[in-house]
Amino acid sequence: MYNLHRREFLRTGLTGFTGLTLSQLYQLRAQGASGGSENTAVILVWLRGGASHLDTFDPKPDAPAEFRGPFAPIDTKTPGIQITELLPQLATLSDRYALLRSVAHTGGGHPAGSLQILGGDPDPQDKVKPIYPDWMTIANYLRHDPRRTIPNYVAINPVDRYDSFTIGGSTYLGPSYEAFKVIGDPSQPNFEVPNIGLADDKQGRLRERLDLKGALDRLQRNVDQSGVVDAVDQFESQALNLLTSPAAREAFDLSKEPDAVRDRYGRHQWGQQCLMARRLVEAGVEIIATEFDGPLCGRVANWDDHAVNQHIFDAYKFRAPTFDQAVSALIEDVYARGLDKRVLVVVTGEFGRTPRISHVASSGGGVASGAAGTVQPGRDHWPRANTMLFAGGGIQTGQVIGATDARGEDPIARRVGPGDFLATLYRHLGIDYERVAIPNFTGRPIPLLSEGQAISELARRA
């Protein structure tokens, strides 16, 4: 369907609105369901490629050497809960998150695993693109409010692709429910989000164009008896709100933060992505997705730590301090600002990694990888077990839900699947996942989930 970048919207100068514009995307959006519940929100931190549960939140210190890895577990603030020694800052905040250690599914490839976790597609086979919309666009569709002056779904380094595969998107919901995408590294001094909250001089030029356009529209309105022109005006007004809103400009502007806060998150891409996410939920955005990948991961720029890609344990030593700083700062800040009752922070990737360590020759040298031909350790895809972190959201924190066996291979208690995970997010957002169905391209109503129940241990406390 339609795809228009916001800079194209400006470049056309709004002349005549004869092509598809941002305002038309708002018009498409208004055709969907509206409403929603209280101003709850979700921040998804996505670990593209799949993090090792054994080397993060589900250590197995008593497993045989070929499983456990080199990192020791450390005690957390919560008695009885241990995580890897690589995450000391998160260890001090264990009373503010819950660990779900028993997530399992059947999607062994990155696309299939992502489609299962993000959209509930039960198919174990990889697909080039999704057939079901992801939970973010569904939530955006169902919680749409045309009075908003800031997008309700923002993707900061979007969760939408894995190499040549599309792993998320709106599918039959249409392009008007896609994320407002923030591309680039927000830690860079020249970073800016284009076409949000235009500067005063640009707003003046925009208004001059609109005055001329308004005069022409009034002529058309005199001969239009259908109300179409008035409707189009409404949608154009929503688009202009985004361009001229001081609140939108303020929400995306990290320079408004004190230096101490920016330093706490870390003056790196992941830290500033998380800081922007906090600013956005504080400004009223309800769905935020941010992906952790790129140079901060190591040589292959993701969490796909096959031995052929990179030395998994060197990769974790390289990336863990940055991850620990960014995620702990986000959780700490959500609580410090009183957002913890309504904002749920979720940290996960598409699956875990094989508990048994493999040793394969590297395909190339670089950060966290030996030179080509160097035999080094790695872990492969493992959809049979994964750990997710949940913070805030009014849930009971300081707890571990579920468990895997002594080697971390399979859940042995409280096994949950993608449907349960998605139902939990929908429940937090006030979406009736058991009854709501959305028409697909043919008009057939498709339930939000084919299976799954919200995880009772992650319900909001009264």
Side-chain angles (χ1 to χ4, degrees), residues 8-57:
E8 292 179 272
F9 178 56
L10 278 183
R11 189 166 58 244
T12 61
L14 309 178
T15 306
F17 285 83
T18 54
L20 181 71
T21 65
L22 183 58
S23 67
Q24 288 173 290
L25 294 182
Y26 278 114
Q27 185 170 4
L28 290 171
R29 177 173 297 179
Q31 296 170 3
S34 63
S37 63
E38 62 180 300
N39 188 28
T40 52
V42 175
I43 298 174
L44 172 68
V45 177
W46 184 252
L47 312 180
R48 185 172 73 90
S52 166
H53 52 298
L54 280 80
D55 300 305
T56 53
F57 299 115

Side-chain angles (χ1 to χ4, degrees), residues 96-291:
R96 295 183 173 180
Y97 58 79
L99 295 176
L100 176 61
R101 286 178 170 168
S102 51
V103 183
H105 59 74
T106 60
H110 295 293
S114 301
L115 294 176
Q116 290 202 20
I117 294 294
L118 295 173
D121 187 341
D123 191 350
Q125 302 300 314
D126 289 342
K127 296 183 180 68
V128 174
K129 60 182 180 179
I131 60 174
Y132 301 108
D134 60 46
W135 72 266
M136 296 90 78
T137 49
I138 287 175
N140 193 24
Y141 174 92
L142 294 174
R143 295 186 61 136
H144 167 63
D145 183 344
R147 297 167 298 180
R148 297 181 62 87
T149 59
I150 189 170
N152 202 32
Y153 169 26
V154 178
I156 310 166
N157 190 18
V159 180
D160 57 2
R161 300 196 65 80
Y162 198 102
D163 297 336
S164 61
F165 294 87
T166 301
I167 60 171
S170 60
T171 65
Y172 50 77
L173 290 179
S176 55
Y177 298 99
E178 294 280 358
F180 181 89
K181 296 180 180 180
V182 178
I183 307 297
D185 182 353
S187 71
Q188 295 301 307
N190 60 348
F191 174 82
E192 64 177 16
V193 179
N195 303 340
I196 284 285
L198 296 179
D200 292 340
D201 59 334
K202 292 183 179 179
Q203 287 191 33
R205 293 196 296 272
L206 185 62
R207 292 297 177 188
E208 290 176 1
R209 291 177 182 268
L210 290 174
D211 287 344
L212 176 59
K213 178 185 178 299
L216 297 174
D217 280 351
R218 283 191 291 275
L219 293 175
Q220 184 176 355
R221 188 175 289 105
N222 290 335
V223 296
D224 175 51
Q225 303 300 318
S226 66
V228 170
V229 172
D230 288 333
V232 170
D233 281 350
Q234 176 185 349
F235 302 127
E236 290 178 3
S237 176
Q238 294 174 36
L240 290 169
N241 281 341
L242 181 61
L243 288 172
T244 61
S245 166
R249 180 167 54 186
E250 177 89 4
F252 285 93
D253 188 355
L254 296 183
S255 70
K256 302 296 184 181
E257 290 289 334
D259 286 343
V261 173
R262 297 196 71 177
D263 292 343
R264 170 64 183 97
Y265 276 85
R267 298 284 185 149
H268 44 70
Q269 183 169 355
W270 295 354
Q272 299 305 295
Q273 286 176 191
C274 285
L275 177 55
M276 183 176 290
R278 190 271 289 161
R279 287 185 63 83
L280 289 171
V281 292
E282 214 165 28
V285 178
E286 296 174 339
I287 305 106
I288 300 174
T290 187
E291 187 168 274

Side-chain angles (χ1 to χ4, degrees), residues 56-59 73-84 90-99 101 396-401:
T56 53
F57 299 115
D58 191 12
I74 57 172
D75 292 332
T76 67
K77 187 175 182 179
T78 307
I81 298 179
Q82 292 187 320
I83 62 175
T84 177
L90 281 167
T92 68
L93 295 173
S94 61
D95 60 328
R96 295 183 173 180
Y97 58 79
L99 295 176
R101 286 178 170 168
Q396 178 63 52
T397 53
Q399 64 166 328
V400 171
I401 304 162

